[in-house]
Structure formats: C-alpha cells, structure tokens
C-alpha cells in the first residue's frame, strides 16, 4: 500500500512539477544565508510555490533563534525531520505533515501565520537531530514576483555558571546587609 501511495505521489509531483518552485537547501548552524522566494503570499495559501526549505543538523542541543530580513513579512515553520523532495500540496505551515518520500515531519514551532510583522523565532529549544525550516512570504503586498531575504540562525548562549554564582553571592550579601 505504501509503495502505491509513493507511486501516486511521484506521478502527482511530476504532473505538477512545472509549477513547483520550492527549494530545499542545506545549511550549517549557526549561520547566515540568503535566498529568494517567488511570490509574497505562500503562507496564506499553504503553497510550496514561494517557500524555501532549509535543512540542518543540530549537533549540540540548546536554544536557537531564527530571524529573517526582507522587504516583506515572512512566515517561519520548524519541523523535526529532513525534507528531501518538494511536498507540494501535502505541506501545512502550522502542523505536522507527511511527505511521500520522507515520512512525517513533526511541527516544532513557528510564527503566527497570518500576523504581519511576526517573522522571527527566538529561544526555540532543540534537541540534537535533523530539522527542516520552512519560510515563505506572509504578505499580500504590492505583487512581488520574487523576494530576496536573509536568514540568520544563532545559538542563544546559556548563562555562564560563574555569572549565576556571582548573582547568587550578590543576593546573599544584599540580604545580609538588609537583615
């Protein structure tokens, strides 16, 4: 049955392949990359034409931030799992979905898909593993054909043990002086 579904999916992808414009691009964390999507409204339409998929590995668990700079608003969705083929109409920007070739991609988090100006994710805790970040236009703007963007991914530094120790010590000294 699964082979039949994959065959049907491959036929659909080939049939609609000419209209598919999603890019699947590997990246290394932390990092800064640039890209270009076609159209400004992929997020409102749940349409992979106009969405880039960035795949990456997290080797060190921690808190990460994702920020996009562009002339328009962008939507971001983060999924656990690696996407290798355009999911086409099976893609949902705000929930888990099953790719015909890659299995289930589990929704980890994202930006509010219909809220203008909300295009960055800060302090997302990630375990070691494979991830896919989807980003696309979230703006019914003046009708752009293509939009350039910059994507920055940074690991949020954890407070150092020395800083925590010094804060606790300062708190004890302050408490002793008041009491």
């Amino acid at each position: 049955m699964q082979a039949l579904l994959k065959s049907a999916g491959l036929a659909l992808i080939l049939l609609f392949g000419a209209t598919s414009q999603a890019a699947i691009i590997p990246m290394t964390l932390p990092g800064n990359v640039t890209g270009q999507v076609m159209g400004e409204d992929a997020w409102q339409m749940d349409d992979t034409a106009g969405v880039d998929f960035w795949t990456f590995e997290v080797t060190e668990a921690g808190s990460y931030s994702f920020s996009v700079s562009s002339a328009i608003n962008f939507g971001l969705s983060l999924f656990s799992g690696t996407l290798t083929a355009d999911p086409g109409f099976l893609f949902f920007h705000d929930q888990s979905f099953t790719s015909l070739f890659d299995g289930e991609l589990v929704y980890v988090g994202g930006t509010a898909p219909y809220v203008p100006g909300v295009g960055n994710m800060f302090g997302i805790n990630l375990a070691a593993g494979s991830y896919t970040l989807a980003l696309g236009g979230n703006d019914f703007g003046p009708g752009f054909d293509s939009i350039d963007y910059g994507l920055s991914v940074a690991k949020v530094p954890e407070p150092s043990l020395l800083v925590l120790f010094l804060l606790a010590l300062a708190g004890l000294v302050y408490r002793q002086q008041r009491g």
Side-chain angles (χ1 to χ4, degrees):
M1 181 68 176
Q2 190 173 16
L4 180 62
L5 286 174
K6 284 186 178 183
S7 297
L10 179 59
L12 285 171
I13 288 173
L14 291 174
L15 180 65
F16 294 108
T19 61
S20 174
Q21 298 176 14
I24 301 170
I25 313 159
M27 72 179 294
T28 303
L29 296 188
N32 297 306
V33 294
T34 60
Q36 183 180 71
V37 294
M38 308 305 288
E40 76 280 355
D41 60 358
W43 237 237
Q44 282 87 359
M45 306 300 204
D46 268 329
D47 183 6
T48 61
V51 174
D52 278 354
F53 295 96
W54 291 90
T55 60
F56 58 90
E57 294 287 326
V58 171
T59 55
E60 183 181 337
S63 183
Y64 290 84
S65 292
F66 302 82
S67 56
V68 177
S69 59
S70 178
I72 68 164
N73 295 316
F74 265 77
L76 297 173
S77 293
L78 184 61
F79 301 92
S80 177
T82 302
L83 190 66
T84 61
D86 185 345
F89 63 90
L90 299 174
F91 169 68
F92 297 99
H93 58 71
D94 56 356
Q95 60 186 309
S96 300
F97 67 94
T98 301
S99 164
L100 294 172
F101 300 103
D102 304 310
E104 185 173 22
L105 274 79
V106 178
Y107 181 73
V108 174
T111 59
Y114 303 109
V115 179
V118 182
N120 299 316
M121 297 188 303
F122 299 106
I124 305 295
N125 290 320
L126 299 178
S130 301
Y131 293 89
T132 298
L133 177 70
L135 67 142
N138 185 26
D139 195 325
F140 284 114
F144 291 101
D145 288 334
S146 64
I147 298 100
D148 294 325
Y149 66 87
L151 170 65
S152 177
V153 182
K155 187 168 191 297
V156 178
E158 296 181 21
S160 125
L161 188 56
L162 178 60
V163 170
L164 291 175
F165 174 74
L166 291 175
L167 286 173
L169 186 60
L172 288 174
V173 168
Y174 176 75
R175 184 174 177 192
Q176 178 130 10
Q177 287 178 351
R178 289 193 70 197

